[in-house]
């Protein structure tokens, strides 16, 4: 049976755009379908910046993927000329037994990553804008920094198009099904056939991949920008690292340097704290004064120059799995022709380059050499009715 495409990619956000680029680079005939426009702000791949790091407190098993992701980010910049990654260093701070510190230290030591363990006094000396408590420490990683999510998505889309991919925006899929020895995907405009399907649904995963058996919950999150008291001069990337700080109650928050000039402000947010379950259709995009006040109070405990003046806030969505690990696998109901990538649980964007490579492996070769056993779809027990 003649097919129009080798691979169809559903969703062209962070993961889907990278998959389309890797597939097209390998010579596959690729169709990408996206319900919104390119590099849009309706999902989880926007907001101007994403932290990237290798001393990974979420677990040492992630580190090999991060090492490859860094190589691919540098290649993406060379191939497209776009500003994608800035390595300004990163500080993972809290009490020595906090997950943020202890987990980062475990990964750094296990994989022999460059790092320093700093006490509170040394943190204050190196980074005068930060004020840890006397009993807090920080793991400093020089190869941490931040990514530009919109630039990254746009770069992958440009690369995919350069290698011949057909990218259809404002055309959401309405369904897919096995068709002959391949798949058929329907939209309101047409039906398309391909040998393989790659599904990267982001926060739409609970609805689109309910049959995968992974209990994913979309969660509303908010990021905030403040102009520090005294301006942003002390917060530029050559003076200020990204940071993740865990307080004595286990609450994690994060912050960035001032990366968009004097008027851009400093971005801070809670990590998972306080996010309410939602769907992409019901997510509340209004940010209320009490939310701004709460993050301002918290941020000021570690970054005393904040809050200063509130500038703006943006909502996005996390797609959380119960164990906070990703799902990257073949679809259990159709393992010979459908691959899925979802449930990135608020820490996935730094992996988009390598996830794209993995998805290209799965679609074109049926397997990948990357260590992805942690992300198997079948790791969760079956869900009963109700």
């Amino acid at each position: 049976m003649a097919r129009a495409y080798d691979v169809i990619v559903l969703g062209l956000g962070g993961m889907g755009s990278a998959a389309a680029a890797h597939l097209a680079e390998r010579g596959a005939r690729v169709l990408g379908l996206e319900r919104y426009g390119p590099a849009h702000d309706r999902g989880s791949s926007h907001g101007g910046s994403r932290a990237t790091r290798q001393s990974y407190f979420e677990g040492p098993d992630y580190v090999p993927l991060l090492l490859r992701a860094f190589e691919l980010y540098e290649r993406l910049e060379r191939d497209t000329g776009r500003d994608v990654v800035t390595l300004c260093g990163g500080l993972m701070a809290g009490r020595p037994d906090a997950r943020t510190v202890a987990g980062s230290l475990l990964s750094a030591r296990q994989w022999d990553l460059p790092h320093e363990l700093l006490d509170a006094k040394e943190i204050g000396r190196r980074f005068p804008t930060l004020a840890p408590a006397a009993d807090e420490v920080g793991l400093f990683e020089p190869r941490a920094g931040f990514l530009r999510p919109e630039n990254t998505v746009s770069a992958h889309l440009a690369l995919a198009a350069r290698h011949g991919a057909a990218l259809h925006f404002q055309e959401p899929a309405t369904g897919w099904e096995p068709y002959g020895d391949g798949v058929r995907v329907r939209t309101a405009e047409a039906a398309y056939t391909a040998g393989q399907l790659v599904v990267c649904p982001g926060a739409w995963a609970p609805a689109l991949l309910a049959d995968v058996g992974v209990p994913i919950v979309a969660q509303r999150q908010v990021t905030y920008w403040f102009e520090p008291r005294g301006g942003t001069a002390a917060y530029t990337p050559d003076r200020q690292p990204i940071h993740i700080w865990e307080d004595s109650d286990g609450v994690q928050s994060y912050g960035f340097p001032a990366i968009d000039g004097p008027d851009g402000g400093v971005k801070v947010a809670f990590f998972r704290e306080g996010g309410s379950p939602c769907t992409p259709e019901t997510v509340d995009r209004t940010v209320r004064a009490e939310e701004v006040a709460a993050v301002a109070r918290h941020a000021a405990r570690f970054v005393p120059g904040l809050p200063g003046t509130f500038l703006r806030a943006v909502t996005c969505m996390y797609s959380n799995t119960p164990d906070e690990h990703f799902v990257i696998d073949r679809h259990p109901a159709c393992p010979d022709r459908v691959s899925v990538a979802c449930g990135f649980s608020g820490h996935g964007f730094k992996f988009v380059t390598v996830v794209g490579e993995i998805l290209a492996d799965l679609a074109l070769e049926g397997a990948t050499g990357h260590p992805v056993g942690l992300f198997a779809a079948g790791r969760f027990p079956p869900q009963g009715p109700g």
Side-chain angles (χ1 to χ4, degrees):
M1 179 185 299
R3 304 189 192 98
Y5 299 97
D6 297 318
V7 187
I8 297 173
V9 179
L10 298 188
L12 294 174
M15 306 303 170
S17 64
H22 279 279
L23 287 160
E25 278 189 291
R26 297 189 196 184
R29 295 172 298 163
V30 177
L31 169 66
L33 296 173
E34 168 57 52
R35 69 178 57 233
Y36 296 114
H40 63 81
D41 64 355
R42 300 287 91 185
S44 305
S45 298
H46 61 282
S49 59
R50 290 290 187 280
T52 189
R53 49 197 165 89
Q54 296 178 351
S55 300
Y56 217 57
F57 64 77
E58 290 87 347
D61 290 347
Y62 284 90
V63 175
L65 297 176
L66 287 161
L67 295 174
R68 178 57 175 160
F70 272 55
E71 293 175 351
L72 291 171
Y73 276 117
E74 292 171 353
R75 192 181 84 181
L76 183 64
E77 286 193 323
R78 290 195 304 269
D79 289 347
T80 65
R82 303 200 181 213
D83 175 18
V84 170
V85 60
T86 298
L87 300 182
C88 60
L91 185 75
M92 275 52 79
R95 291 180 174 175
D97 61 348
R99 181 192 183 198
T100 302
V101 177
S104 299
L105 187 59
L106 175 65
S107 288
R109 287 174 172 170
Q110 181 168 322
W111 291 97
D112 196 26
L113 302 173
H115 70 282
E116 298 176 76
L117 193 60
L118 310 179
D119 61 20
K121 183 177 180 180
E122 182 63 10
I123 293 172
R125 187 188 71 79
R126 291 201 196 182
F127 311 114
T129 59
L130 305 180
D135 63 345
E136 293 179 333
V137 299
L139 181 143
F140 178 73
E141 180 185 354
R143 284 190 57 76
F146 60 88
L147 302 164
R148 294 287 199 169
E150 291 90 347
N151 286 6
T152 303
V153 172
S154 296
H156 277 133
L157 293 175
L159 205 57
R162 182 189 306 170
H163 289 280
L167 305 176
H168 294 194
F169 298 99
Q170 309 293 338
E171 189 177 348
T174 57
W176 64 269
E177 59 195 357
Y179 185 72
D181 61 350
V183 294
R184 179 166 57 190
V185 176
R186 299 182 184 277
T187 74
E189 285 74 25
Y192 306 97
T193 59
Q196 292 284 318
L197 175 64
V198 173
V199 185
C200 301
W204 286 262
L208 296 181
L209 293 175
D211 55 347
V212 173
V214 180
I216 296 172
V217 176
Q219 182 188 59
R220 173 184 181 267
Q221 292 289 310
V222 184
T223 53
Y224 307 81
W225 285 259
F226 295 90
E227 181 182 356
R229 290 190 296 274
T232 58
Y235 297 82
T236 54
D238 59 328
R239 304 178 68 180
Q240 178 93 346
I242 65 159
H243 75 264
I244 302 173
W245 171 57
E246 183 175 337
D247 71 12
S248 58
D249 295 322
V251 175
Q252 292 174 303
S253 60
Y254 59 91
F256 291 83
I259 65 177
D260 290 318
D263 299 323
V266 169
K267 177 182 173 183
V268 294
F270 290 114
F271 186 44
R272 294 200 184 93
E273 187 73 12
S276 55
C278 66
T279 69
E281 293 74 30
T282 64
V283 60
D284 183 358
R285 297 190 182 275
T286 300
V287 179
R288 292 164 178 79
E290 56 267 28
E291 294 180 286
V292 176
V295 78
R297 285 193 302 270
H298 187 85
R301 292 168 55 193
F302 192 70
V303 191
L306 300 180
T309 302
F310 172 64
L311 297 176
R312 66 188 186 280
V314 170
T315 57
C316 69
M317 290 173 284
Y318 288 179
S319 303
N320 296 318
T321 63
D323 60 9
E324 299 174 0
H325 296 310
F326 312 154
V327 176
I328 307 173
D329 204 350
R330 301 291 268 175
H331 194 299
C334 206
D336 60 331
R337 63 190 85 176
V338 181
S339 304
V340 298
C342 57
F344 288 95
S345 302
H347 64 110
F349 195 90
K350 61 185 71 63
F351 295 87
V352 297
T353 49
V354 70
V355 170
E357 185 171 65
I358 291 166
L359 291 170
D361 291 343
L362 294 177
L364 299 180
E365 303 170 26
T368 182
H370 287 293
V372 295
L374 180 64
F375 312 131
R379 69 185 187 269
F380 299 103
Q383 294 179 279

